[in-house]
Each structure stands twice: as C-alpha cells, then as structure tokens.
Amino acid sequence: RKEVEQDPGPFNVPEGATVAFNCTYSNSASQSFFWYRQDCRKEPKLLMSVYSSGNEDGRFTAQLNRASQYISLLIRDSKLSDSATYLCVVILGRMRFGAGTRLTVKP
Amino acid sequence: EPEVTQTPSHQVTQMGQEVILRCVPISNHLYFYWYRQILGQKVEFLVSFYNNEISEKSEIFDDQFSVERPDGSNFTLKIRSTKLEDSAMYFCASIGQGDWGAVSEQYFGPGTRLTVT
C-alpha cells in the first residue's frame, strides 16, 4: 500500500461546481496532515492544514478521519483560478506526498 | 514574508557533467530538504539535513548525490555525473524550529529545472 494515496483524477468541472478530493495514508503514526496546491511547473504551496475537528477556509473545507486514515478536501463554488494539482501531504518524520489530483475548472 | 530562494531557475547540462543546485533557506530555519519532481510525476523526497548532517535520504539519493551547507546560509545539492533521468524540477524546502503543526514554518523554494541532454 502506498504511503499516501489520492484520487488520480483528473477532475474537470464547470465554474461554480463543488468538488471533493480524497486521500488515504498507510501509517497510523502519521503526525500531521496538509493539503498543498501546485500550479504547473511551480513549487507546492500550502493550502491548509487538516484537523480531526475539520477546518474551513472560505470555500475550502478539510477533514481528517484518523480511524479510517482518510483525509478530504472540499472546494465549493469553484473558480477558474482553482485549476491546479492538489497534493495530500502527511507528516511522518518528514513530509510524504501523494501523487496529486489535477483539477481543471472550466467556464 | 520570508522565502526560500533557489538558483539557477533553469540549468541545462550535458550527460556526465557535474551540477550544483543552490538554495538559500529561511535564515532561522534548522531543517532542510531536497525534493525532485520529474515532469508529470509526484514530488519525491531526496534528502533531509539537520545540524550539518544528513538525517535521512531516499534510495534515489545514491553516491552521485551530495549535499552541503558550506557557509551557514547556502544549502547545495551536487550531482556528480548527471544522467538523462536526472532531468526534473528540484525543490529545496526549509522548516522552522516549531512543531510540525506550525504550518506557517514550512516553505518551498521556486525550484530549479534541470535538463540533462
């Protein structure tokens, strides 16, 4: 089983749609969880942390289920500028990346 | 906002040549990393560096690779004899002294695109 596994995508959605990304991790000792955003040929940039209680930042909601070793990211009212690859990142001693899920938002 | 810088932004080299990729981490950070990303593939961990020594390295980080922090500010990745398959984006990252939960402390540089011909 991969350390961090994500929906392979790609996701192609119209503007205004709601889209959800899923991620699972293999090691229950993992310490912290994040979603990063990566634009084409750019560095990953932190989007948000993920907590068990769930956390929201504007149109973005992240959720962690430690029992299921599952992380999610929900984007509401998607914008063209949300088009990017979304990386699930788990901390276990160091950052461990999922392969990323590509999102394209179309007009 | 503090930032990690990397130079050069793009390096083209011939197979078999040595390259040195440079990074300037954020000044008060203590943990430094190199990652690579082959075009269209996932971000792969290469090496972590703490207290002037390697703390962890991946199987990718073989004898052709080395890292140094020669002067307390620069953090370099050297590839001794480049191969075609070394062509990738190389990202440096640095992390501050806080807990892993201190998300504001995790920063990536903009990357160096290495092209081996």
Side-chain angles (χ1 to χ4, degrees), chain B residues 2 4-5 13 24 41 53 55 63 68 75 81 88 94 117:
Chain B
V4 177
T5 59
T13 189
V24 179
Q41 297 187 24
E53 59 183 28
S55 48
D63 292 344
E68 268 192 329
F75 178 50
S81 178
S94 74
T117 61

Side-chain angles (χ1 to χ4, degrees), chain B residues 30-49:
Chain B
L30 299 177
Y31 301 86
F32 312 112
Y33 301 81
W34 282 102
Y35 295 87
R36 81 170 185 192
Q37 187 174 33
I38 295 169
L39 187 62
Q41 297 187 24
K42 67 180 287 185
V43 176
E44 299 175 292
F45 168 74
L46 291 177
V47 66
S48 57
F49 194 83

Side-chain angles (χ1 to χ4, degrees), chain B residues 75-89:
Chain B
F75 178 50
T76 63
L77 174 69
K78 183 192 291 186
I79 309 174
R80 286 190 186 80
S81 178
T82 50
K83 302 187 280 286
L84 293 176
E85 55 264 38
D86 293 328
S87 295
M89 284 289 284

Side-chain angles (χ1 to χ4, degrees), chain A residues 34 36 38 43 49 94 97, chain B residues 37 42 56 100 103 106 109:
Chain A
F34 304 95
Y36 275 72
Q38 186 175 29
E43 74 274 25
S49 310
R94 58 169 172 84
F97 288 82
Chain B
Q37 187 174 33
K42 67 180 287 185
E56 186 181 355
W100 284 104
V103 300
Q106 300 173 42

Side-chain angles (χ1 to χ4, degrees), chain A residues 8-106:
Chain A
F11 284 58
N12 298 303
V13 303
E15 269 187 293
T18 295
V19 61
F21 301 138
N22 302 316
C23 171
T24 56
Y25 58 96
S26 61
N27 195 318
S28 59
S30 298
Q31 300 150 299
S32 305
F33 311 89
F34 304 95
W35 284 101
Y36 275 72
R37 171 194 168 125
Q38 186 175 29
D39 293 296
C40 190
R41 297 181 186 266
K42 299 285 188 183
E43 74 274 25
K45 291 196 173 176
L46 179 66
L47 180 65
M48 61 196 303
S49 310
V50 190
Y51 305 116
S52 297
S53 53
N55 50 303
E56 192 172 305
D57 182 2
R59 298 181 292 108
F60 298 83
T61 301
Q63 196 81 42
L64 165 66
N65 184 322
R66 281 191 183 270
S68 304
Q69 294 177 205
Y70 170 88
I71 303 159
S72 65
L73 176 69
L74 184 76
I75 306 175
R76 290 181 299 279
D77 187 24
S78 51
K79 312 287 184 198
L80 297 176
S81 56
D82 293 334
S83 298
T85 296
Y86 290 83
L87 306 174
C88 177
V89 177
V90 169
I91 305 293
L92 178 62
R94 58 169 172 84
M95 300 175 79
R96 298 166 193 269
F97 288 82
T101 303
R102 175 143 186 81
L103 171 67
T104 301
V105 181
K106 300 188 172 178

